[in-house]
């Protein structure tokens, strides 16, 4: 059962998936989205395939192909392959991802100074991660410590994950927030209204280059121009030591009709922020600083898949 | 009669205004928008008031208050005050603005190199100027000279003047174009797909600081980061020597419900790009380069209002 993120915040409706193919379709159509969340969903999809006696390699292939950019799909399917109790392992992956969020939230909250007014993009919240959130988890932890004053939320066109999902989560958490047009972020920075930028990630290459929702790169350039720290908050399941640099990360192009169905359009769903523009990457293990080749954790579990 | 820009591109419907107050309401509600176009509309509104024997100072006050950022309202009303034949003068202002666009389009086209792939924001087209356009006028002139290959059009949230109006104009002009989410512009620049950025302006301060649609400032920062020239194309009626710097330009905050009516939001309609990020400002007189205090034309007609 998946909470259908396409229909939030207007309706809280669940989608029922009965096969790996149905889970893959839910990922493709973004009923569930967010790098850790689609990894978790893929793990459950694999477990469904195992319970139904489906061909597991074929099921893994369908799940892996559902979206290209987030490495968490490959990571979660790597974790599932060959396990004796797939349902238990999927539940374990889910619980571990939420626990990772809580740990990285504490590490990231250490980076915020009292009175912080943070900007975030897209939704790196509980919805994106199976619970709690990466960047939004950091905001939750910082708010609980009373160091976070306010959050600016990019609406995040075209699918409005910011104004539909992140604002919905922040409202439920009681964290003061303001939604803005994506194009307004630079002007708010120039006016001194943003003290920190925090985003999630869909894939972190070995050198620290990070793929995330389209618009993240522009925020990183703007943050650097204004001397504002720019933090990526992501679990180790999003690190991809097998991908050397951002240039090697596949970027999903989605249907142009998400932008306009009346005129020619292009709709890249992600962009790559070079490591040089990232102040720190925060995982559940701690805060990693440039040069990332040396500071990012070397993950034997990831490296061995 | 005004072409209702709120309903484009789906419907081509006219709004009839019978008084200065009705013109002011059409400007406020953005049935007509774009700095030169609202100046022209205000001139016609003033002429309507004169024809109906309304109190002209009151009519000018209502028209001037309809929107705060573009200086063209004040400029056009200054031009109308005391004229003996208001209808003829309004028609003249309209014709002069279009002629200014044609001249500045030629000057701006000189700045583009063959194979240019330009990015523009919002709508600085014929709709915004009574015909032809400022930044879009430059694109028309450059396309006619065969130096312009392609135009990327920011959709321009929240009111989508890019994907509704600029794309509609470029389609009618036969100029190849692609609409993108505002947040995608930086990533396209990083990939080398943008050779020039051209925008209009709502007000140019004496030092060259320029107010334009929210998001313009971020584009200027991104263009500078990527070494891409950033040009403002605007008629002398948009220059405001009486405003020393961008900090003195009033920025309109529009209804937050244009962003979202479900969560708290902020909706500044404009931002200010500092002169230091502007490669050149192009008026009908020519190409003006920094320092703008010396290079922008000294306009006795503007200075004397």
């Amino acid at each position: 059962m998946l909470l259908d993120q396409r229909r939030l915040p207007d309706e809280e409706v669940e989608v029922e998936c009965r096969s790996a193919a149905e889970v893959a379709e839910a990922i493709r159509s973004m009923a569930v989205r967010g790098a850790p969340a689609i990894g978790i969903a893929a793990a459950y999809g694999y477990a469904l395939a195992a319970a139904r006696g489906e061909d597991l390699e074929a099921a893994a292939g369908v799940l892996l192909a559902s979206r290209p950019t987030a490495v968490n799909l490959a990571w979660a399917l790597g974790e599932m392959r060959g396990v004796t109790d797939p349902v238990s392992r999927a539940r374990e992956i889910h619980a571990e991802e939420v626990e990772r969020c809580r740990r990285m939230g504490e590490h990231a909250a250490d980076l915020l100074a009292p009175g912080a007014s943070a900007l975030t993009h897209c939704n790196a919240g509980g919805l994106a991660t199976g619970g709690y959130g990466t960047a939004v988890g950091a905001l939750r932890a910082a708010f609980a410590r009373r160091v976070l004053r306010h959050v600016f939320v990019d609406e995040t066109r075209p699918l409005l994950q910011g104004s539909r999902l992140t604002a919905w989560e922040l409202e439920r958490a009681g964290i003061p927030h303001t939604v803005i047009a994506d194009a307004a972020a630079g002007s708010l920075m120039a006016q001194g209204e943003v003290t920190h930028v925090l985003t999630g990630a869909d894939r972190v290459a070995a050198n620290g280059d990070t793929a995330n929702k389209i618009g993240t790169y522009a925020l990183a350039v703007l943050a650097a121009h204004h001397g504002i720290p720019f933090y990526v908050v992501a679990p180790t399941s999003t690190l991809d030591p097998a991908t050397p640099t951002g240039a090697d990360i596949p970027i999903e192009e989605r249907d142009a009709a998400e932008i306009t169905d009346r005129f020619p359009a292009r709709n890249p769903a992600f962009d790559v922020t070079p490591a040089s523009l990232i102040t720190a990457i925060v995982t559940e293990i701690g805060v990693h600083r440039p040069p990332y080749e040396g500071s990012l954790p070397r993950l034997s579990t990831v490296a061995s898949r």
Side-chain angles (χ1 to χ4, degrees), chain A residues 11-189:
Chain A
E11 296 177 283
E12 297 184 25
V13 180
E14 288 180 335
V15 176
E16 188 172 359
C17 299
R18 298 193 164 275
S19 67
E22 288 182 14
V23 172
E25 176 55 23
I27 295 170
R28 196 204 55 73
S29 67
M30 296 178 66
V32 58
R33 34 65 51 202
I38 66 178
I40 295 163
Y44 283 122
Y46 188 97
L48 271 177
R52 288 159 48 102
E54 292 179 28
D55 178 331
L56 290 178
E57 278 314 297
V62 166
L63 289 161
L64 186 62
S66 58
R67 292 192 74 194
T69 301
V71 75
N72 303 63
L73 280 180
W75 173 83
L77 292 166
E79 293 288 304
M80 293 299 292
R81 209 157 268 147
V83 299
T84 51
D85 183 351
V87 172
S88 295
R89 182 67 191 119
R91 288 195 172 131
E92 212 170 67
I93 286 172
H94 186 173
E96 287 166 0
E97 284 295 63
V98 176
E99 178 56 26
R100 285 188 185 101
C101 283
R102 292 193 177 273
R103 279 192 223 146
M104 85 185 77
E106 295 298 326
H107 292 305
D110 290 345
L111 300 170
L112 270 60
S117 177
L119 173 75
T120 191
H121 189 65
C122 195
N123 172 263
L127 292 164
T129 56
Y132 202 70
T134 53
V136 171
L139 299 175
R140 290 183 204 272
F143 188 69
R145 296 188 195 178
R146 301 179 185 273
V147 294
L148 178 69
R149 188 170 49 79
H150 195 83
V151 181
F152 288 104
V153 180
D154 277 355
E155 63 174 359
T156 317
R157 282 279 295 161
L159 297 181
L160 301 172
Q161 292 94 335
S163 60
R164 292 191 305 106
L165 307 179
T166 300
W168 181 77
E169 289 198 38
L170 294 174
E171 181 180 78
R172 287 163 66 113
I175 301 175
H177 59 282
T178 305
V179 179
I180 57 169
D182 301 320
S187 175
L188 284 178
M189 291 184 195

Side-chain angles (χ1 to χ4, degrees), chain A residues 124-292:
Chain A
L127 292 164
T129 56
Y132 202 70
T134 53
V136 171
L139 299 175
R140 290 183 204 272
F143 188 69
R145 296 188 195 178
R146 301 179 185 273
V147 294
L148 178 69
R149 188 170 49 79
H150 195 83
V151 181
F152 288 104
V153 180
D154 277 355
E155 63 174 359
T156 317
R157 282 279 295 161
L159 297 181
L160 301 172
Q161 292 94 335
S163 60
R164 292 191 305 106
L165 307 179
T166 300
W168 181 77
E169 289 198 38
L170 294 174
E171 181 180 78
R172 287 163 66 113
I175 301 175
H177 59 282
T178 305
V179 179
I180 57 169
D182 301 320
S187 175
L188 284 178
M189 291 184 195
Q191 291 165 59
E193 299 212 39
V194 177
T195 60
H196 303 74
V197 179
L198 290 93
T199 76
D202 288 78
R203 189 186 302 220
V204 181
N207 71 342
D209 291 352
T210 295
N212 192 47
K213 176 60 50 198
I214 188 76
T216 302
Y217 167 67
L219 288 180
V221 172
L222 288 162
H225 180 81
H226 295 94
I228 297 168
F230 179 90
Y231 297 121
V232 169
V233 188
T236 51
S237 55
T238 303
L239 305 184
D240 184 10
T243 295
T245 75
D248 306 300
I249 301 176
I251 298 297
E252 178 181 10
E253 284 262 351
R254 295 185 59 83
D255 188 349
E258 290 179 355
I259 308 285
T260 169
D261 56 8
R262 173 72 176 78
F263 300 105
R266 261 180 62 185
N267 187 17
F270 301 93
D271 57 26
V272 174
T273 299
S276 59
L277 293 173
I278 301 171
T279 311
I281 297 172
V282 183
T283 71
E284 73 274 16
I285 295 173
V287 176
H288 316 288
R289 306 252 179 200
Y292 295 108

